Amino acid sequence: KSIALVMDSIQENEWELASKNTENLSEVWKKVARRVQFSAEKDEMDDIAKSIARLRGAIQARDQTNALMELQETYEHWKNIGR
């Protein structure tokens, strides 16, 4: 749900909302990371954190293409947690 909110705001070029939603996504990720830290691959968890950081940068630059690419990468890593 958090990823979908970020994606919607990016696609609508609502950059302030995208930034707010990205911060929410980051907070959600921190909670999830605490729960899965012993069962998930450390590299996969690090990759999510890096993707969110790059997503923040793309949103600050108002770069829709890179923001969507980073968001999709975040989603793919998130799906693979615990596999």
Side-chain angles (χ1 to χ4, degrees):
K1 180 179 176 181
S2 296
I3 291 175
L5 289 173
V6 177
M7 185 169 291
D8 289 345
S9 54
I10 291 169
Q11 289 174 331
E12 296 296 322
N13 289 315
E14 295 178 4
W15 297 106
E16 296 301 320
L17 184 57
S19 181
K20 179 183 170 194
N21 288 338
T22 300
E23 291 309 313
N24 183 54
L25 172 64
S26 182
E27 291 303 313
V28 169
W29 168 242
K30 288 176 187 175
K31 291 176 185 176
V32 170
R34 279 187 232 122
R35 292 183 196 146
V36 299
Q37 65 183 335
F38 299 111
S39 62
E41 291 287 327
K42 174 87 168 99
D43 290 342
E44 199 74 44
M45 293 177 64
D46 289 344
D47 288 342
I48 291 174
K50 289 176 193 174
S51 292
I52 291 173
R54 289 191 303 264
L55 173 61
R56 280 191 188 110
I59 288 171
Q60 285 180 337
R62 297 178 182 230
D63 182 339
Q64 187 180 46
T65 301
N66 281 325
L68 290 172
M69 286 175 25
E70 292 301 336
L71 191 57
Q72 186 62 39
E73 183 173 335
T74 301
Y75 176 70
E76 292 299 320
H77 288 302
W78 201 305
K79 281 190 337 186
N80 291 329
I81 289 291
R83 279 191 179 180

